[in-house]
Amino acid sequence: MELIRSNSTTHKNTAEAINQVTSKLHTEPALLLFFTSTIHKFEEVTALFHEQYPNSRVVGLTTTGEIGPFGFLENGLAAMSFSKEIGRISTVLMEDISKYPIFSRNDLVTAAKNTGINLNSQSLEKEGLAIVFPNGLIAAEEKMLSIVNSIFTNEGFPVFGGTAGDDAKFIETYVSVNGKISSNGGVVIFMKPSVDFFMLKENIFTSTGKSMKITKVDIEQRIVYELDGKKATTVYANLLGVKESQLDQYFMTNPIGRRFNDEIFIASPFQILPNGAIQFYCQVFQDAIVEILEPKNPFETLQQTLQTFTSQFVQLEGVLACNCILRKSQFQSQCLFPDLNRELEKLPNLGGFCSYGEQFNKSLVNQTLVLLGFGKKR
Amino acid sequence: MLKKFFKQNDMQSNIIIEEIKSLTTAEKASMIDGLLDLIALLKVSNEKNAKGDSVFIERITEVKGTLEGERESLIASSENIQRIINEAEYIHSITSTVEEQGKNNIQLVTEGNENMDKLDAQMNYVKQVFTNFEKSITEVQQETNEIITITKIIEGIADQTNLLALNASIEAARAGEHGQGFAVVAAEVRKLAEQSKKALVDINKKVDEIVDKVSFLSADIAGKSKEINHTQAMTRYTSEFFEKIAASEKELFTSMLGIKLATDKTMAEIITFRQELEANIRSSEQSTKRIDELYTFSQDKFFISTDMTSYISQMNYLVEAFKNDKL
């Protein structure tokens, strides 16, 4: 009995696509995840999946590229099913995560407890995990994470996830739980798995050694006005050695990173505002020293990542992956998909999507690939 | 009741709603103002806190950089010291070998000297043998001379016998027929006398040969004795050299022992220094570990700041909703 199954399709007809995808999934799973392009109407996809799996927890979201058993796909539909043997599962749809995620706190506490998670445990990493799918474009990931993490007395509960996308239209994203749709909420899935799990975050960037200090910032709006006491775009462009007018062309290849010891948390610039300020995909802080990054070889890095990831397991049942939209654009521009897919398809029962942000434990990061594997660890 | 709510965080929603409903407009306005002021203060404090965190990380990054630089320098010093220790150990092994070799050399020189003494004694014995031999030769020479004297006497007798035999022959001839028998005897005597003389010539010749050979032998022994004396002198001279070599080896041995002791002392000091250095490296590693803990701590604080920002933002929305009486 396979604990996890995954499938994907690029069939344009929604009903046919769902038929194709579900043909290889469990007939009555404990949890079904679907990741759909906006070429399919989200309401229709949600309804059809909910109809087909009335006794399962069905969670779905819009994406900006899907990941299936054969790697990256475009304008497609990918899904994963988790059998009942995977363990205990509960789901919560947090409404309005940009303003009132606090209202869902009690639901989160109840759901986590119902899943058998001890909120006061001293070793939370052994209690289970939360998979989160916040909506994108509402700058709400940190708020959602803050409330999810707030239900635990101690630090260290594993949280994994990706932000919903909309095929880079940047208009509106959707998530759904058991047929209920939200464009301003976020999904939380609590799992107390019967098997081991392992999470990994891949960084394909390294520091250029050039650093700047954030001297004027609006943390909540994720806007940096000044770096090193001067206009943000001027300093960023000067350090990169490019024209200020061309700076946004380098955002994809040269994001910034905040270093904690040897770990770099990537913050990707989203857009340049008319006053020369730069808006980011995640929060950045006053007086923080940030380094300008440059890409490593993505193919070699992925090979190393997958080696590290798979070596954790003696038996790997399935893998959930969230890959940043900016990485996807980079891979597309460098025509890397065939090579990367050859590596990704080696992972069993792979599913996931390209995201507008990645959640890894307490942090929202950008330009990252996060992997979550289930199975028997070494 | 509101106090109780804030104190115990008790979600007695209905009571709170009742309390809120019973507030006058002025009370509600002042509550909202108070909440907004507090949120503003919280925001400022959180920003200050985040700013402090940034400075904190900046400083620990600097400290870590310095510490890593020092650690690298300590490791480089430790490696250099290891090289010095290796060299010192090499010197130590060389001095040990030389010291051992010195001991062997002194032993060999002593044995050599002893052998020289034995050789000298042996030569003295040979010399004595030669002296005795020379004495014997002198005696042989004297006895040979005596033989020569005797042969001369015999030669005189043979000559007289010959003369007597000649006279007897003459007398026999005078006696005529009666003297014929005597003449034969006289002739025979004469023949014997001549034969005796001839034999004496042979004896003399042999004696001369013996005298020559003995003289040669005597001269040879004298020469050999001189050579032995010369060899003996050389042996003594060599023996003196052996003694000088032995003294020099002893001096070398003492010096080597000094070098070995000095090297050992230096090595012990270097090893102590290296141990201190390693303790410093371990201490530096401990400091790096503590710095890493500080990084983890600052990372946690960073997440707390992120959470605080999220909470403050949500509080703002809630107060705004409270103010407007709608979410």
Side-chain angles (χ1 to χ4, degrees):
Chain A
M1 177 69 180
E2 284 175 296
L3 289 175
I4 299 167
R5 290 181 190 169
S6 72
N7 200 7
S8 63
T9 179
T10 50
H11 207 291
K12 298 287 178 276
N13 179 280
T14 304
E16 191 53 40
I18 290 173
N19 277 339
Q20 271 191 15
V21 165
T22 55
S23 64
K24 288 187 181 169
L25 303 181
H26 297 92
T27 47
E28 198 174 298
L31 172 69
L32 185 124
L33 302 178
F34 70 84
F35 313 106
T36 180
S37 157
T38 54
I39 64 153
H40 299 292
K41 280 188 180 163
F42 192 67
E43 296 83 353
E44 189 184 352
V45 183
T46 300
L48 286 171
F49 268 112
H50 187 50
E51 198 179 298
Q52 190 160 342
Y53 298 99
N55 300 317
S56 306
R57 295 175 194 281
V58 180
V59 170
L61 52 130
T62 51
T63 65
T64 191
E66 301 71 44
I67 297 170
F70 303 106
F72 292 102
L73 57 147
E74 282 281 351
N75 300 320
L77 174 69
M80 296 175 83
S81 62
F82 295 77
S83 81
K84 287 175 177 151
E85 286 73 24
I86 194 80
R88 291 168 74 177
I89 291 170
S90 59
T91 51
V92 175
L93 177 61
M94 294 176 72
E95 294 284 4
D96 202 353
I97 53 170
S98 66
K99 285 186 177 176
Y100 313 116
I102 187 72
F103 289 167
S104 302
R105 193 170 182 275
N106 285 340
D107 292 342
L108 292 171
V109 170
T110 308
K113 282 181 178 170
N114 288 344
T115 317
I117 294 166
N118 175 8
L119 304 181
N120 303 314
S121 170
Q122 294 286 342
S123 22
L124 281 168
E125 68 284 354
K126 292 176 186 162
E127 287 295 319
L129 76 152
I131 300 171
V132 295
F133 297 124
N135 263 306
L137 309 170
I138 50 174
E141 293 97 329
E142 286 103 340
K143 289 175 198 167
M144 180 178 168
L145 282 176
S146 73
I147 299 300
V148 172
N149 283 306
S150 75
I151 68 170
F152 302 101
T153 313
N154 300 303
E155 306 294 320
F157 188 74
V159 178
F160 177 94
T163 307
D166 66 348
D167 284 322
K169 293 173 194 160
F170 301 110
I171 300 168
E172 195 167 38
T173 68
Y174 297 97
V175 298
S176 72
V177 178
N178 301 329
K180 194 173 177 188
I181 296 171
S182 169
S183 63
N184 66 356
V187 184
V188 180
I189 304 164
F190 286 110
M191 284 183 90
K192 180 110 181 162
S194 56
V195 290
D196 300 323
F197 68 92
F198 176 69
M199 289 161 45
L200 187 72
K201 182 176 71 168
E202 179 190 272
N203 178 5
I204 51 165
F205 289 92
T206 185
S207 175
T208 56
K210 294 168 183 170
S211 61
M212 323 175 272
K213 190 170 194 170
I214 297 171
T215 43
K216 192 174 175 189
V217 65
D218 179 335
I219 300 171
E220 198 187 337
Q221 294 302 312
R222 307 169 175 179
I223 297 169
V224 173
Y225 294 98
E226 285 181 8
L227 292 162
D228 293 337
K230 294 175 198 151
K231 195 171 72 172
T233 46
T234 310
V235 176
Y236 205 144
N238 280 350
L239 268 181
L240 264 178
V242 300
K243 283 182 185 169
E244 208 172 326
S245 57
Q246 294 172 339
L247 179 63
D248 57 355
Q249 295 170 24
Y250 293 87
F251 284 165
M252 194 168 72
T253 49
N254 298 97
I256 61 166
R258 190 174 189 191
R259 184 187 289 276
F260 289 95
N261 210 0
D262 295 326
E263 194 175 2
I264 293 175
F265 287 84
I266 303 167
S268 303
F270 172 45
Q271 60 180 345
I272 295 174
L273 302 176
N275 54 1
I278 304 168
Q279 190 168 26
F280 284 79
Y281 276 103
C282 65
Q283 281 180 3
V284 278
F285 283 85
Q286 181 71 33
D287 279 8
I289 304 276
V290 290
E291 296 169 35
I292 297 183
L293 308 178
E294 61 187 359
K296 292 190 275 189
N297 181 316
F299 179 66
E300 283 173 11
T301 310
L302 183 70
Q303 279 184 318
Q304 285 165 10
T305 301
L306 296 186
Q307 165 64 27
T308 309
F309 184 73
T310 52
S311 67
Q312 299 291 320
F313 295 92
V314 280
Q315 171 74 31
L316 183 55
E317 299 285 344
V319 180
L320 173 60
C322 302
N323 180 68
C324 180
I325 175 190
L326 292 171
R327 281 168 56 108
K328 182 196 153 191
S329 306
Q330 183 193 340
F331 299 159
Q332 262 175 334
S333 67
Q334 294 174 352
C335 302
L336 286 171
F337 277 152
D339 287 342
L340 296 174
N341 284 348
R342 262 195 299 280
E343 294 299 313
L344 285 172
E345 68 183 10
K346 292 174 188 167
L347 295 171
N349 300 309
L350 172 68
F353 64 103
C354 291
S355 48
Y356 282 173
E358 297 73 55
Q359 291 80 47
F360 198 83
N361 293 328
K362 294 197 83 172
S363 60
L364 164 67
V365 285
N366 300 139
Q367 280 181 275
T368 306
L369 165 71
V370 287
L371 296 169
L372 168 64
F374 293 92
K376 187 172 169 51
K377 279 175 78 179
R378 282 182 198 285
Chain B
M1 188 52 73
L2 276 172
K3 275 184 185 171
K4 190 183 167 194
F5 166 70
F6 285 118
K7 240 181 189 174
Q8 299 180 355
N9 197 19
D10 189 1
M11 294 296 284
Q12 296 178 25
S13 310
N14 292 334
I15 301 166
I16 294 164
I17 289 164
E18 284 307 310
E19 292 252 349
I20 289 170
K21 274 181 185 170
S22 66
L23 290 173
T24 64
T25 312
E27 282 172 336
K28 189 183 168 189
S30 67
M31 259 189 76
I32 289 167
D33 285 348
L35 281 170
L36 286 172
D37 283 350
L38 280 171
I39 289 168
L41 287 173
L42 263 177
K43 198 177 172 190
V44 170
S45 294
N46 187 42
E47 280 171 7
K48 278 184 186 168
N49 205 23
K51 202 171 164 178
D53 289 346
S54 298
V55 175
F56 178 71
I57 292 169
E58 199 179 333
R59 294 289 175 272
I60 58 170
T61 304
E62 282 167 15
V63 171
K64 193 177 181 187
T66 311
L67 212 61
E68 273 174 358
E70 283 172 359
R71 195 167 158 263
E72 276 168 21
S73 157
L74 283 174
I75 287 169
S77 300
S78 178
E79 283 167 0
N80 283 337
I81 282 171
Q82 188 54 51
R83 275 194 282 277
I84 292 169
I85 287 172
N86 292 345
E87 291 294 327
E89 276 173 351
Y90 182 58
I91 291 168
H92 176 85
S93 84
I94 288 174
T95 48
S96 294
T97 310
V98 173
E99 188 194 346
E100 198 56 37
Q101 197 63 45
K103 271 186 200 169
N104 289 342
N105 285 354
I106 289 167
Q107 182 65 28
L108 286 174
V109 168
T110 308
E111 281 173 17
N113 221 358
E114 282 168 10
N115 285 336
M116 281 294 161
D117 288 346
K118 282 180 189 167
L119 189 64
D120 192 46
Q122 199 62 31
M123 280 185 183
N124 278 337
Y125 175 72
V126 172
K127 248 169 79 181
Q128 189 57 47
V129 169
F130 273 25
T131 306
N132 292 342
F133 195 52
E134 217 173 341
K135 202 175 159 189
S136 299
I137 284 171
T138 309
E139 282 171 12
V140 168
Q141 276 176 329
Q142 278 172 1
E143 282 173 15
T144 311
N145 286 337
E146 282 173 18
I147 291 167
I148 290 168
T149 308
I150 291 165
T151 54
K152 277 180 182 165
I153 292 167
I154 294 167
E155 198 182 354
I157 293 167
D159 282 344
Q160 279 180 346
T161 308
N162 193 21
L163 197 58
L164 284 170
L166 189 60
N167 288 335
S169 297
I170 294 166
E171 292 298 325
R174 277 182 193 161
E177 201 175 316
H178 298 289
Q180 275 183 353
F182 191 72
V184 171
V185 173
E188 281 303 313
V189 169
R190 202 178 155 194
K191 213 190 266 178
L192 283 172
E194 277 173 2
Q195 277 177 351
S196 296
K197 207 175 169 184
K198 201 179 171 188
L200 280 172
V201 168
D202 286 344
I203 287 167
N204 274 339
K205 200 179 167 187
K206 286 286 173 197
V207 168
D208 283 346
E209 276 177 14
I210 288 167
V211 167
D212 283 351
K213 279 183 181 171
V214 167
S215 296
F216 178 75
L217 199 61
S218 178
D220 194 33
I221 284 169
K224 290 280 190 295
S225 288
K226 266 188 184 175
E227 275 177 24
I228 285 171
N229 283 337
H230 182 63
T231 307
Q232 209 170 15
M234 274 176 71
T235 305
R236 280 175 189 154
Y237 188 59
T238 307
S239 193
E240 279 170 22
F241 263 100
F242 267 116
E243 275 162 19
K244 279 180 188 170
I245 289 169
S248 174
E249 279 294 337
K250 276 175 189 163
E251 208 171 310
L252 186 67
F253 178 76
T254 313
S255 298
M256 271 300 148
L257 209 62
I259 290 172
K260 199 182 153 195
L261 287 173
T263 312
D264 287 353
K265 196 181 166 197
T266 309
M267 205 154 89
E269 280 167 3
I270 291 171
I271 286 169
T272 310
F273 182 56
R274 190 185 63 175
Q275 283 165 348
E276 284 167 8
L277 210 61
E278 280 171 352
N280 279 340
I281 291 170
R282 279 195 296 277
S283 155
S284 156
E285 281 167 355
Q286 280 297 322
S287 301
T288 307
K289 266 187 191 169
R290 284 190 197 111
I291 295 263
D292 289 345
E293 282 166 16
L294 281 178
Y295 268 116
T296 310
F297 171 69
S298 64
Q299 195 175 324
D300 288 344
K301 281 206 77 195
F302 165 70
F303 291 134
I304 291 167
S305 290
T306 314
D307 286 347
M308 286 280 283
T309 306
S310 298
Y311 299 150
I312 291 165
S313 164
Q314 290 172 60
M315 277 177 71
N316 247 329
Y317 284 118
L318 282 173
V319 173
E320 200 63 32
F322 184 42
K323 195 175 168 182
N324 299 329
D325 276 331
K326 68 167 191 176
L327 288 173

